[in-house]
Amino acid sequence: MDLILIQIVKELLELYDSITTEELAERIGISLSSVRHRMNEVRELFGKYGIAVISISKKGIKIEASTVQRNNMYNFIQGLAYSTSETKEYRKDYILKTLFEYSDNYTLQLFAEELYVSKKAISNDLKEVKSFLAKYNVNLVIKRNSGVIMEGNEFGVRQAMISHYNSLWWYKKYDEKPLNVDCRISRRAWTYMKKMYGDENVLDMQRLLLDAEQELGVIWTDIAFSRLLEYVVISKRRIQKNWTIENENVDELIQVDAAYYQAAEKALNQISAKKVSLLEIKYLAARIYVAETIYPRKTEGSQDYQKSVKSYLKKIGVAFYHSGLEDDAELVREICEMLLIIRYKVIYNIVDWNDSNREVKKNMSELYGVCLMYVSILGENGYLFFEQDDVAKITILIHNYMQKHKREAVFITAADTATAVYQLGKLQEYFPEFLFKEAVHYRYFRPEDWRDKIIVSTVNLKKM
């Protein structure tokens, strides 16, 4: 598959509206005739994934695909892009892996010669690489007589490596797991770890985490366990090459609970032949501390956020006619715990993700929107930054509470029984945040029976 076909498919996958072939050609930067010449191949390729490319009169073309179909097609085309030497994805991957794995400084000229492109093309690629690394507090600089150099916190470099390596993974055939691999590590994760870090004994690293779990009295979720495992593996490799976490202001890093510090120190001492630095221990302790657990933890300091959390929940409650959110001690505590975790992530610049926001924004769009609108209230008592996944997690916590504590409602109608029951079902569907107890004919409705409940009526009750 050539570069033009990859570019056309990627562009269409990112669009949900129609686009003319002229606009498509302009966005990609190729001629109109090139786009039109390849459209049959484009349709054929999409068809292999059950995706239709349809033409709309006076509007252009668009694809009709489910989220799963889009994701499968995107993974396929990305895999091709990273394996085709003419693409910028291939060059970016080559540059990043070179910077990650080798200490020798590469110049623009050397990158250009090895990738068979101009220095200008490499310069443009480096801008995108720099933007990617900046997310992890790592700066990319070009120094005269030295070449391209990464500058910044080693902890950020390790997170960037993990993020980049994960983004490349589209392998579909998964290896069988040994019986002694923890059940939280999926076949996909096991295959990825072995193929990406085959020279490391992953099972030994797993034992370190299982021991830490037992000492701390926590149980990590499947995703958290796998990501901690990868961080420990990559830390071992970097420390062995003398790429360690240094030159940070220790005083600016808030202290993690002593138990987490001890667990991190014990683990690092077992993977390193020499004494590890205080910063290595602090960063691993923080990484372990923020890892998501099966059961919420009660930690000191979270109560500092109670006032802002209650104010926040009151706003959400008013927006959804659901009073009492701020009075639920368990809900308040869980969000307070979450804010403390976010505080540690901000201070240590720990980057984590799970993409839960996509499903939440789709299935709980109204609640997510309101939670996002008022999220600044939660940051009033501390220097906090909220990612979309953070807002999604808060949305889920509030949604779960509302589902367990739905405000009761009654439907007042003058319709016949069959129609009233049908309408009641439709109301429940449109307003899932309420619990419609029953449909009552207006002649039999007594307000005192439904005091403090939501009343929905097709009858003008004021005239009664």
Side-chain angles (χ1 to χ4, degrees):
M1 183 179 296
D2 59 44
L3 179 58
I4 292 177
L5 196 55
I6 291 173
Q7 288 177 312
I8 294 173
V9 171
K10 284 189 68 176
E11 195 67 38
L12 289 174
L13 280 171
E14 293 173 2
L15 294 172
Y16 286 83
D17 295 322
S18 57
I19 185 172
T20 65
T21 50
E22 290 85 352
E23 291 171 328
L24 187 59
E26 185 176 348
R27 290 179 68 145
I28 298 173
I30 59 177
S31 68
L32 176 58
S33 60
S34 295
V35 172
R36 288 176 173 170
H37 179 68
R38 310 308 295 273
M39 285 312 298
N40 286 337
E41 293 177 77
V42 170
R43 286 187 168 88
E44 182 180 343
L45 184 58
F46 273 116
K48 291 180 179 178
Y49 285 83
I51 300 174
V53 180
I54 62 173
S55 299
I56 303 174
S57 178
K58 298 181 181 180
K59 289 187 176 182
I61 59 173
K62 66 176 294 187
I63 64 172
E64 288 189 342
S66 66
T67 301
V68 172
Q69 288 172 324
R70 280 182 185 269
N71 288 340
N72 289 339
M73 186 68 183
Y74 182 79
N75 288 339
F76 169 73
I77 209 69
Q78 280 290 85
L80 286 177
Y82 277 101
S83 60
T84 304
S85 58
E86 293 88 357
T87 66
K88 66 177 181 180
E89 287 86 357
Y90 179 93
R91 297 196 301 271
K92 285 164 57 181
D93 177 44
Y94 186 93
I95 291 169
L96 279 168
K97 285 182 177 176
T98 300
L99 295 173
F100 289 150
E101 301 295 340
Y102 302 102
S103 57
D104 295 336
N105 297 328
Y106 265 61
T107 62
L108 266 72
Q109 183 62 42
L110 187 54
F111 275 127
E113 290 175 359
E114 292 185 354
L115 291 166
Y116 303 103
V117 293
S118 66
K119 288 174 66 176
K120 182 178 180 181
I122 295 298
S123 181
N124 290 332
D125 295 335
L126 287 174
K127 290 178 182 177
E128 295 194 26
V129 171
K130 183 173 184 176
S131 177
F132 167 74
L133 292 174
K135 300 175 185 176
Y136 307 93
N137 278 3
V138 178
N139 189 27
L140 190 70
V141 296
I142 303 174
K143 293 188 175 180
R144 192 180 185 87
N145 300 323
S146 296
V148 183
I149 300 172
M150 288 191 303
E151 292 183 343
N153 189 349
E154 167 64 21
F155 180 70
V157 173
R158 295 177 195 177
Q159 292 192 104
M161 291 175 71
I162 292 171
S163 176
H164 179 63
Y165 291 159
N166 273 268
S167 72
L168 302 177
W169 193 247
W170 302 285
Y171 198 69
K172 297 300 179 186
K173 295 180 180 179
Y174 305 144
D175 297 340
E176 290 295 330
K177 297 191 305 181
L179 293 176
N180 52 351
V181 173
D182 191 275
C183 63
R184 286 168 290 182
I185 300 175
S186 65
R187 285 181 60 197
R188 180 186 186 280
W190 171 255
T191 307
Y192 165 77
M193 292 290 290
K194 292 300 293 181
K195 293 188 180 297
M196 195 64 71
Y197 309 106
D199 56 334
E200 303 293 346
N201 192 329
V202 178
L203 288 175
D204 284 348
M205 303 299 103
Q206 173 188 279
R207 172 48 52 192
L208 297 180
L209 291 183
L210 292 174
D211 289 344
E213 264 188 333
Q214 189 171 9
E215 292 170 14
L216 294 169
V218 300
I219 303 175
W220 290 305
T221 63
D222 48 359
I223 296 175
F225 188 84
S226 296
R227 288 183 178 163
L228 278 175
L229 179 61
E230 185 172 11
Y231 178 77
V232 172
V233 168
I234 215 165
S235 293
K236 179 183 178 182
R237 296 180 70 176
R238 300 287 290 183
I239 291 171
Q240 287 176 339
K241 294 181 178 181
N242 292 320
W243 289 330
T244 56
I245 301 175
E246 297 173 353
N247 303 324
E248 285 288 306
N249 190 342
V250 181
D251 296 333
E252 293 180 359
L253 301 176
I254 56 177
Q255 184 67 45
V256 181
D257 185 83
Y260 289 86
Y261 183 91
Q262 292 166 6
E265 184 176 27
K266 181 179 179 180
L268 286 168
N269 285 336
Q270 292 185 62
I271 67 175
S272 175
K274 59 182 181 180
K275 186 176 178 61
V276 293
S277 69
L278 173 65
L279 280 168
E280 284 284 357
I281 299 171
K282 278 196 167 233
Y283 271 92
L284 179 56
R287 188 70 186 80
I288 291 174
Y289 177 75
V290 304
E292 189 173 26
T293 56
I294 300 297
Y295 304 107
R297 293 162 295 187
K298 293 182 179 180
T299 51
E300 296 181 6
S302 62
Q303 62 271 19
D304 296 342
Y305 297 101
Q306 279 194 11
K307 184 178 179 181
S308 57
V309 169
K310 288 185 176 183
S311 297
Y312 177 75
L313 289 175
K314 192 170 185 178
K315 286 281 189 181
I316 305 297
V318 169
F320 280 86
Y321 307 101
H322 208 301
S323 60
L325 285 178
E326 70 276 14
D327 298 324
D328 187 84
E330 182 181 356
L331 179 62
V332 171
R333 180 181 62 78
E334 287 196 42
I335 297 179
C336 285
E337 295 286 336
M338 185 180 168
L339 296 188
L340 187 60
I341 294 296
I342 293 173
R343 181 186 175 201
Y344 275 89
K345 285 184 178 180
V346 170
I347 291 174
Y348 284 86
N349 193 40
I350 296 173
V351 180
D352 212 350
W353 71 98
N354 60 30
D355 288 334
S356 62
N357 67 83
R358 294 182 182 179
E359 287 297 317
V360 172
K361 284 191 286 188
K362 178 181 178 182
N363 299 322
M364 309 176 203
S365 56
E366 291 185 8
L367 182 56
Y368 176 87
V370 175
C371 289
L372 180 62
M373 182 188 305
Y374 294 116
V375 77
S376 59
I377 295 174
L378 297 176
E380 291 176 353
N381 198 34
Y383 195 54
L384 303 177
F385 294 104
F386 295 90
E387 302 290 343
Q388 292 185 70
D389 284 339
D390 297 326
V391 180
K393 180 71 177 294
I394 293 171
T395 304
I396 291 172
L397 288 174
I398 295 175
H399 172 266
N400 291 345
Y401 172 86
M402 287 181 171
Q403 289 298 105
K404 290 188 294 184
H405 303 82
K406 288 184 177 181
R407 189 169 180 187
E408 292 184 0
V410 61
F411 176 45
I412 313 302
T413 178
D416 63 89
T417 303
T419 303
V421 171
Y422 171 76
Q423 292 174 335
L424 185 67
K426 297 298 289 184
L427 280 171
Q428 188 65 77
E429 180 183 343
Y430 284 117
F431 300 99
E433 63 270 25
F434 301 135
L435 178 60
F436 284 89
K437 299 289 286 186
E438 60 181 298
V440 179
H441 194 276
Y442 76 95
R443 287 192 174 182
Y444 303 110
F445 173 67
R446 298 197 316 171
E448 60 270 21
D449 293 339
W450 295 92
R451 191 172 285 113
D452 297 326
K453 304 297 189 292
I454 296 292
I455 297 173
V456 179
S457 176
T458 59
V459 180
N460 190 345
L461 296 178
K462 291 181 181 180
K463 295 181 180 179
M464 294 177 61

